[in-house]
């Protein structure tokens, strides 16, 4: 998980804000590296499970939740699969900027609407929403690698790096998620995403700093 790796690469003793923390899947793995871990989650049922990993869990709307007050500014703010659910993601980005330390980073992931599966569907006139994935029916905004970067740069951030994640082939072909094929399928999907990120990347993970 690229977001996890990037948080842990920042070292220990971190102050981290995790937006949309859900059941705490990320939080439980970064907890040992955090001296202060805050989070905001809209879904009260998910928050009930994830809250135990946080020093300051907030249940409610993101924009309201990040108003704090927090006890300090953050080394890292994580927004994994969050912005595509907002009608005005630029409002959240602007509100997050003053919460970051001068050397802090914003880590966010966005689904790649230009993925080959979506392009192929469009060739046949299909743009069907689904329960999950790139065309999750709760998504309000759609992004390519370029428009994700433009969103950040237009709202006071400098993009440091962009990484493409592998397509989850096992969702389409369950056998690819089981031994002996799982490792090979995952490696092949990751290599493809790195070679052709705009076509075969499933998500883009951006690391950005406030300007």
């Amino acid at each position: 998980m690229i977001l996890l790796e990037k948080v842990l690469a920042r070292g220990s003793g971190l102050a981290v804000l995790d937006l949309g923390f859900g059941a705490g899947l990320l939080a439980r793995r970064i907890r040992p590296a955090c001296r202060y871990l805050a989070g905001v989650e809209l879904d009260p049922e998910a928050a009930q499970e994830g809250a135990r990993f946080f020093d300051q869990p907030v249940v409610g709307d993101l924009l309201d939740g990040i108003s704090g007050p927090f006890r300090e500014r953050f080394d890292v703010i994580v927004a994994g699969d969050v912005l595509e659910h907002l009608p005005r993601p630029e409002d959240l980005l602007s509100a997050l900027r003053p919460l970051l330390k001068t050397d802090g980073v914003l880590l966010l992931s966005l689904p790649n609407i230009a993925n080959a599966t979506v392009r192929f569907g469009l060739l046949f006139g299909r743009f069907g929403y689904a329960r999950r994935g790139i065309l999750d029916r709760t998504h309000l905004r759609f992004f390519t690698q370029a428009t994700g970067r433009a969103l950040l740069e237009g709202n006071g951030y400098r993009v440091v790096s962009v990484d493409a994640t592998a397509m989850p082939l096992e969702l389409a072909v369950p056998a690819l998620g089981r031994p002996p094929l799982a490792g090979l399928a995952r490696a092949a999907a990751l290599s493809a995403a790195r070679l052709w990120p705009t076509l075969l990347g499933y998500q883009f993970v951006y690391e950005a700093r406030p300007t």
Side-chain angles (χ1 to χ4, degrees):
M1 183 180 184
I2 296 176
L3 286 173
L4 172 64
E5 293 171 356
K6 286 185 174 291
V7 173
L8 296 180
R10 302 286 294 175
S12 59
L14 300 173
V16 177
L17 175 61
D18 184 5
L19 301 179
F21 63 76
L25 297 181
L26 176 67
R28 68 189 70 190
R29 300 180 72 177
I30 65 172
R31 177 71 263 191
C34 298
R35 71 171 186 280
Y36 172 48
L37 181 55
V40 183
E41 171 55 47
L42 177 63
D43 184 346
E45 290 187 11
Q48 188 172 14
E49 183 176 352
R52 58 195 173 100
F53 300 104
F54 291 84
D55 300 301
Q56 188 176 347
V58 178
V59 180
D61 177 78
L62 282 177
L63 280 171
D64 291 337
I66 63 170
S67 63
F70 298 110
R71 72 187 193 201
E72 62 180 284
R73 292 197 294 167
F74 295 97
D75 300 293
V76 183
I77 297 177
V78 181
D81 302 331
V82 167
L83 268 64
E84 63 270 23
H85 297 275
L86 304 177
R88 289 185 53 81
E90 56 270 23
D91 291 346
L92 180 64
L93 289 175
S94 296
L96 291 176
R97 206 167 58 247
L99 299 181
L100 279 168
K101 294 180 179 178
T102 54
D103 60 346
V105 297
L106 171 65
L107 302 176
L108 66 88
S109 60
L110 295 171
N112 175 25
I113 193 61
N115 180 273
T117 58
V118 180
R119 297 191 195 202
F120 187 75
L122 287 171
L123 284 175
F124 295 93
R126 294 197 300 267
F127 192 81
Y129 289 95
R131 292 177 58 191
R132 58 184 177 181
I134 296 171
L135 293 179
D136 185 309
R137 61 172 57 97
T138 65
H139 290 178
L140 301 179
R141 298 286 296 268
F142 299 95
F143 299 94
T144 65
Q145 183 184 46
T147 59
R149 176 186 287 272
L151 177 68
L152 284 163
E153 293 177 344
N155 287 279
Y157 295 87
R158 173 175 60 86
V159 175
V160 176
S161 66
V162 185
D163 296 281
T165 69
M167 290 179 61
L169 301 177
E170 66 277 6
L171 295 182
V173 184
L176 296 179
R178 300 189 293 268
L181 298 177
L184 180 61
R186 190 66 181 170
L190 184 56
S191 295
R194 288 172 175 170
L195 284 171
W196 300 286
T198 57
L199 182 64
L200 297 177
Y202 187 65
Q203 295 175 310
F204 294 113
V205 176
Y206 297 83
E207 178 176 345
R209 295 180 182 272
T211 54

